[in-house]
Amino acid sequence: MDEIAALIEPHIPALRRYAWALLRDHEAADDLVQDCLERAVGRWRLRRRDGDLKAWLFAIQHNLFIDGLRRKRRELLRAEVEDLSGIPEPGIEQESRAAMRDILACLDALPADQRAVILLVGVEDLSYEEAARVLGVPIGTVMSRLSRGREKLRRYLESGAQPMLRRVK
Amino acid sequence: MTGSELPVGEDDLSALVDGRLTPERAATVEAYLAARPEEAARIQADRAIRAALRERLAPKAGEPVPARLRAAAVIAERRRIRRGRLRQALAACLVLLAGGTGGWFARDLSERFWGIPARPAPLPQEALAAHRIYTVEVVHPVEVKADQGAHLAQWLSKRLGRRLAIPDLEGVGFRLIGGRLLPAGRSDVAAQLMYGAQDGSRLTLYVRCGEAGRWDLRVTKQGEFASATWATGGYGYALSGALDPDRLMMVARAALSEMTGGG
């Protein structure tokens, strides 16, 4: 058991960073990491011995994130009828323009799959193969999401163009 | 220079941004970009964005990890929950088991009026032999330790062919140490659960499959040792230790009461 802890522990800071970059809410991010760790400990015997532990942990966390996203989308769908009027139009508020200068705000505007690839490869230093495994997609998909995502980020930052906000709060 | 023969593609440009190219290939791609200032500027921008994002997110990974996210804490919490669940499941299981014989405390009546044979069994001898062999072990008293409670129960249950209840005897001063698997008779298996008291005395619960008889709780003495045994549903149980028969009977009753959900 102590051995499991010793193996998992070094990856926790990166898992927290990835979770926070996706969710941008400290509590929610740590909840996601905790769910991930619980699942990892519970499935410890099922992991491939020769497999990459880091990629395995990120895959668990990513799947939990996607599950959560689906759940939220369903909730949002239900709430939509009454709540839509309350959501401000993008570009109306003055402060949103300043927010665009923040790289994270631009990242938030990307589709979730492009965001995930940019974070896993560009920040968490996963190889393209590992990122493909984490996301459960072919490596070609990883490469195309990466370049499409980067292209959008570039455009947002260079032109100051208003990215369409997609973040699901 | 095999790398230079391939045409430069989008994947090369991405890999250049991420610093994943071999030095030879990187040189080829840099040479390609030298002739294309527009694309070079794009790559430069991507690199800057990548660096900015890393820098922006770095503090999050540098934060101290909250206590609830320490791996050891997650493991301990999981173990605690599973142990609780296991006990509940086993208690439920034991209710069924005890219920089948009409309840424990009716055993004397059942023997007297319904004539369930009180046949002598080799079970106490077998259990005491195993007890004597393993309770003197200091280094390897058990195969699987109590801290792997769920695994222990699963493993022994699988080999015994029945869901094995692991009674909690802490209330009567005996803490679970762990368990092991043993051969029984010619082809059967037995499980031995070992418990230890504060004063170092040990108790074993021996569970054997292939038990033909059926009888209610009784105590057999053998020298300084005593064994409280019962058998039901094809399984024989023996709680053994160097205890006086009254104390052993008390522990056995406590175990049964604990396993049947208290009462």
Side-chain angles (χ1 to χ4, degrees):
Chain A
M1 280 295 180
D2 293 342
E3 181 214 5
I4 301 178
L7 287 170
I8 290 178
E9 198 79 39
H11 298 290
I12 295 176
L15 290 168
R16 292 184 73 217
R17 173 172 54 194
Y18 182 55
W20 183 70
L22 291 174
L23 292 164
R24 301 286 299 292
D25 175 309
H26 295 287
E27 273 301 299
D30 282 352
D31 286 348
L32 178 62
V33 175
Q34 191 173 354
D35 287 349
C36 165
L37 295 176
E38 278 164 7
R39 189 167 284 195
V41 170
R43 295 188 177 178
W44 189 254
R45 274 165 231 280
L46 301 176
R47 87 190 193 289
R48 274 175 44 197
R49 293 255 159 207
D50 56 339
D52 178 357
L53 179 60
K54 184 179 180 183
W56 184 67
L57 290 170
F58 271 88
I60 290 174
Q61 184 163 294
H62 187 80
N63 290 336
L64 287 167
F65 168 70
I66 296 295
D67 290 349
L69 215 60
R70 289 207 186 104
R71 218 168 23 243
K72 269 202 185 124
R73 212 166 277 163
R74 278 198 300 273
E75 284 164 17
L76 208 69
L77 224 58
R78 278 198 295 274
E80 210 163 30
V81 181
E82 35 195 302
D83 280 357
L84 260 186
S85 56
I87 297 171
E89 288 275 319
I92 285 181
E93 284 173 31
Q94 287 281 318
E95 57 177 347
S96 67
R97 190 145 195 97
M100 284 315 113
R101 309 249 179 267
D102 184 0
I103 190 151
L104 289 183
C106 294
L107 186 75
D108 287 348
L110 296 183
D113 9 357
Q114 293 174 15
R115 225 183 325 153
V117 173
I118 284 175
L119 289 169
L120 290 174
V121 169
V123 178
E124 304 306 338
D125 287 330
L126 264 65
S127 70
Y128 299 139
E129 291 84 0
E130 286 170 331
R133 234 179 304 138
V134 166
L135 303 171
V137 297
I139 193 161
T141 308
V142 166
M143 300 311 287
S144 68
R145 283 180 188 173
L146 190 61
S147 57
R148 269 186 288 134
R150 280 183 173 154
E151 192 191 326
K152 276 186 198 146
L153 275 185
R154 212 162 52 230
R155 264 194 289 127
Y156 295 159
L157 285 162
E158 280 170 0
S159 65
Q162 204 72 76
M164 201 177 77
L165 280 174
R166 275 175 197 265
R167 239 163 75 68
V168 180
K169 247 260 134 73
Chain B
M1 294 297 263
T2 48
S4 59
E5 289 154 17
L6 291 163
V8 171
E10 189 60 38
D11 51 338
D12 285 310
L13 298 178
S14 290
L16 184 70
V17 172
D18 290 314
R20 309 259 165 106
L21 291 177
T22 61
E24 297 83 38
R25 189 65 183 164
T28 307
V29 178
E30 297 277 13
Y32 164 90
L33 288 173
R36 295 168 179 81
E38 229 169 84
E39 269 182 79
R42 178 164 73 95
I43 297 307
Q44 201 48 50
D46 279 353
R47 275 175 159 163
I49 292 170
R50 184 179 189 273
L53 193 59
R54 290 174 80 92
E55 198 185 330
R56 182 74 175 75
L57 291 171
K60 189 64 196 175
E63 279 178 9
V65 175
R68 69 168 169 133
L69 297 185
R70 301 305 293 255
V74 171
I75 290 166
E77 174 65 10
R78 182 185 160 76
R79 202 183 292 156
R80 197 185 63 75
I81 290 169
R82 291 188 68 168
R83 209 173 274 166
R85 268 195 214 130
L86 184 73
R87 282 201 190 128
Q88 276 174 5
L90 294 178
C93 188
L94 255 285
V95 167
L96 290 177
L97 246 164
T101 54
W104 252 162
F105 299 101
R107 66 191 164 280
D108 289 335
L109 289 175
S110 74
E111 199 170 316
R112 225 169 278 158
F113 296 109
W114 299 339
I116 292 173
R119 33 182 288 189
L123 177 62
Q125 283 70 40
E126 207 172 273
L128 282 171
H131 179 89
R132 277 194 293 260
I133 291 170
Y134 293 110
T135 49
V136 296
E137 274 279 356
V138 176
V139 186
H140 302 295
V142 294
E143 274 177 287
V144 176
K145 288 186 182 162
D147 62 4
Q148 290 173 269
H151 168 60
L152 176 66
Q154 265 169 17
W155 169 58
L156 293 177
S157 298
K158 197 172 161 200
R159 297 304 305 270
L160 279 177
R162 103 168 296 156
R163 209 157 159 194
L164 175 65
I166 299 183
D168 182 345
L169 300 181
E170 282 189 39
V172 284
F174 289 90
R175 181 184 287 265
L176 182 66
I177 296 170
R180 67 167 65 245
L181 199 68
L182 297 164
R186 269 198 305 260
S187 58
D188 291 323
V189 291
Q192 184 192 53
L193 297 170
M194 196 181 295
Y195 296 81
Q198 203 89 62
D199 62 7
S201 63
R202 285 179 172 182
L203 203 63
T204 58
L205 177 60
Y206 183 88
V207 184
R208 188 177 74 175
C209 71
E211 182 59 56
R214 171 174 165 165
W215 69 92
D216 288 334
L217 193 62
R218 77 163 71 103
V219 171
T220 307
K221 267 198 69 133
Q222 198 175 82
E224 58 174 318
F225 297 101
S227 191
T229 66
W230 66 95
T232 178
Y235 289 80
Y237 302 80
L239 190 69
S240 316
L243 270 67
D244 74 73
D246 289 343
R247 172 109 199 275
L248 186 68
M249 202 67 169
M250 186 272 285
V251 174
R253 287 212 169 97
L256 285 159
S257 161
E258 200 275 338
M259 289 187 291
T260 50

